[in-house]
Amino acid sequence: MRMKKHPVFYIAMVVCLLIVVSLASCGGDDPIADPDPSSPPESVTPPTISTPPPSITPSTPPPPPPPPVELFPYDGVVEHIFFHEVIAWPELAFNGNAMERGYDTNMVTVSEYIAILESLYRNNFILVNLNDVWSEFTNEQGQQRMRRNTLMLPEGKKPLVISFDDLSFYEYMTGDGFMEKYIIGDDGDIWAIGTDPNGNTVISQDLTVITILDKFVKENPGFSHEGAKGCIAFTGYEGILGYRTQFDRTNDTQEARLHRRQEIARARPIVQRLHDTGWYFATHSYGHIWLDSSSLDRVQTDALRWKDEVASLVGETRIFIYPYGSRLDNGDVWDTGPALRFYNNELGFRYFASVGRESFSRIKPDISAVMMDRMPVDGLALRSRRELFLRFYDAAEVFDHSRPTGNDSAGRPYEIAWQT
Ligand SMILES: [Zn+2]
């Protein structure tokens, strides 16, 4: 069934036309030249995109407006998957040491990540911003509650949220095949810097999750709805994005404070650039703590530290991506205990995301919150959960065969469930 166009469509059309008119005016000798009389009025009938823009200097015609995209209502499942930072050099991550198993389980390699993005795009997924999927309203009792929005998407597109956990380049990852930090390039774009296996400094956009997705969307704009990219879930205990922005209580010297201020100053423009290019942020707790076994006091102290050291850098957020998938509700989406109430009432959080086998979500009836699960795209899923992810990608096609074989350092075998 073809549906009415969304009001945003018309607004976008009008804005495009206004931009075209102003560009044409600026570029011409006569700033008050009459606009093309064939242009349709702004409000009565929808403007047709094929109308040629008013031309003043024929030698430098303004760029044509983008083609119209008709939008259709979508109320189905919004898929939600997540990644960690990618392994840039598998030979360093998979070197047989004690960390190897953890990297194999929790991470994907660059080649796997790119192949998965390509498959998602081929399968008609489109990135949406989690904050647009639900919204808050006041019910008849005067209470704030959440409700699901009808998304307006291009025909045939399936909405997808991708979140990225722990993009901090933790100390333990140093030298293990990951880049070291995100930076701003001379072009104003985000890049990353690191050291390759030969000890050479590498500056690249091809070896980290953020920059690879940025490039992918630039090449395939149809993969992003209204410019949405991903949700980045930060802890704070070793800073963010490779910058040690945390306050170290055990080393509170003048020098340490100065260093911290410098790290914060270096991280800020990257955060700003992320904000400007469709990325948005979540808390992942400050200390990556086990929420279900932490006291209320510990949960509160941790939350306030995140607010102090990370929200001050990335801005306030209403999204909580649970560390370890451990939860504030005792594993029961109907349970609203004091820790969840604290995050909800005192800190204004509305979205609480754990980990599960499907893109589950449930609106809480008793408070203004949405509980959800995200599906982990990692080595464990690639090795043993092929079926679960087939609608996104086929593990047998994207699997990086530079992953370890044989046994890990504890003698446990590396297996691939789909390989006979
Ligand atoms: Zn985590």
Side-chain angles (χ1 to χ4, degrees):
M1 183 174 65
R2 288 175 74 80
M3 301 298 293
K4 259 185 73 179
K5 292 189 182 75
H6 191 268
V8 170
F9 174 82
Y10 297 122
I11 293 165
M13 291 294 89
V14 170
V15 170
C16 285
L17 279 181
L18 288 176
I19 290 169
V20 165
V21 168
S22 73
L23 282 176
S25 300
C26 295
D29 295 321
D30 179 2
I32 51 165
D34 286 335
D36 185 341
S38 69
S39 291
E42 283 183 11
S43 55
V44 186
T45 42
T48 352
I49 211 70
S50 58
T51 303
S55 176
I56 294 159
T57 44
S59 55
T60 54
V69 176
E70 200 167 353
L71 301 176
F72 296 83
Y74 181 93
D75 292 300
V77 171
V78 176
E79 301 282 7
H80 190 164
I81 61 175
F82 75 97
F83 296 86
H84 289 96
E85 187 53 83
V86 280
I87 295 166
W89 294 286
E91 63 269 44
L92 294 181
F94 305 135
N95 63 357
N97 72 14
M99 294 299 296
E100 182 187 84
R101 171 64 76 170
Y103 295 139
D104 180 77
T105 300
N106 296 310
M107 269 75 169
V108 301
T109 67
V110 163
S111 79
E112 289 169 343
Y113 180 58
I114 292 171
I116 289 167
L117 291 181
E118 285 167 353
S119 176
L120 290 167
Y121 185 51
R122 255 194 333 270
N123 285 318
N124 268 331
F125 286 99
I126 186 168
L127 295 177
V128 297
N129 187 315
L130 179 69
N131 293 291
D132 295 336
V133 181
W134 293 271
S135 54
E136 194 165 41
F137 74 106
T138 307
N139 67 13
E140 287 172 2
Q141 290 77 43
Q143 302 158 323
Q144 299 294 108
R145 291 293 181 268
M146 298 300 285
R147 69 177 160 207
R148 173 63 197 273
N149 300 328
T150 295
L151 297 175
M152 298 301 295
L153 300 176
E155 190 168 18
K157 290 288 184 182
K158 294 171 279 188
L160 173 71
V161 170
I162 304 186
S163 42
F164 296 89
D165 295 10
D166 302 288
L167 300 191
S168 305
F169 300 101
Y170 295 130
E171 304 276 6
Y172 75 82
M173 297 160 74
T174 306
D176 278 355
F178 298 89
M179 291 292 267
E180 284 149 31
K181 59 180 69 174
Y182 286 98
I183 57 172
I184 293 283
D186 293 339
D187 57 359
D189 237 359
I190 296 175
W191 292 69
I193 187 167
T195 309
D196 76 8
N198 299 319
N200 302 313
T201 298
V202 175
I203 294 176
S204 173
Q205 290 182 317
D206 300 320
L207 300 170
T208 39
V209 279
I210 291 174
T211 52
I212 290 171
L213 184 61
D214 276 343
K215 275 180 79 172
F216 190 83
V217 168
K218 205 173 281 179
E219 286 157 18
N220 305 284
F223 189 49
S224 167
H225 187 52
E226 295 174 341
K229 299 269 181 58
C231 174
I232 303 175
F234 286 126
T235 57
Y237 70 99
E238 284 184 357
I240 63 168
L241 300 167
Y243 297 88
R244 303 304 173 214
T245 55
Q246 77 275 16
F247 172 55
D248 182 356
R249 290 162 194 213
T250 63
N251 182 28
D252 187 14
T253 61
Q254 200 76 4
E255 194 186 351
R257 285 179 176 236
L258 175 64
H259 182 252
R260 180 176 177 230
R261 276 204 301 277
Q262 290 170 337
E263 290 288 273
I264 289 172
R266 290 175 187 127
R268 277 194 194 285
I270 304 165
V271 169
Q272 185 59 51
R273 180 69 183 165
L274 289 168
H275 265 299
D276 294 345
T277 53
W279 296 88
Y280 53 105
F281 307 113
T283 183
H284 195 44
S285 82
Y286 181 86
H288 211 283
I289 61 174
W290 287 96
L291 297 167
D292 36 17
S293 57
S294 294
S295 66
L296 178 61
D297 186 54
R298 171 126 200 256
V299 169
Q300 290 176 331
T301 305
D302 175 273
L304 296 177
R305 204 156 170 204
W306 195 91
K307 193 174 162 63
D308 187 33
E309 292 185 25
V310 187
S312 60
L313 204 46
V314 305
E316 298 290 334
T317 175
R318 305 196 304 167
I319 308 169
F320 192 171
I321 302 280
Y322 289 152
Y324 306 111
S326 68
R327 313 167 61 110
L328 290 171
D329 57 11
N330 301 312
D332 177 359
V333 290
W334 300 111
D335 187 354
T336 307
L340 180 53
R341 276 191 196 283
F342 170 74
Y343 263 94
N344 186 241
N345 286 341
E346 308 294 319
L347 301 180
F349 280 78
R350 296 292 179 265
Y351 306 99
F352 298 87
S354 187
V355 178
R357 294 171 62 86
E358 58 177 311
S359 302
F360 161 91
S361 68
R362 181 163 285 152
I363 293 172
K364 294 276 285 184
D366 56 335
I367 59 171
S368 186
V370 184
M371 318 307 284
M372 68 192 75
D373 280 347
R374 312 170 297 149
M375 299 175 67
V377 180
D378 54 23
L380 183 68
L382 288 171
R383 285 183 184 277
S384 60
R385 294 173 183 161
R386 181 184 175 205
E387 297 295 324
L388 222 50
F389 288 84
L390 276 178
R391 63 184 181 277
F392 303 113
Y393 61 86
D394 185 346
E397 286 170 13
V398 307
F399 191 86
D400 184 340
H401 289 278
S402 64
R403 282 183 178 275
T405 54
N407 293 339
D408 66 15
S409 61
R412 289 177 302 160
Y414 286 109
E415 287 166 345
I416 302 175
W418 40 265
Q419 212 172 40
T420 50

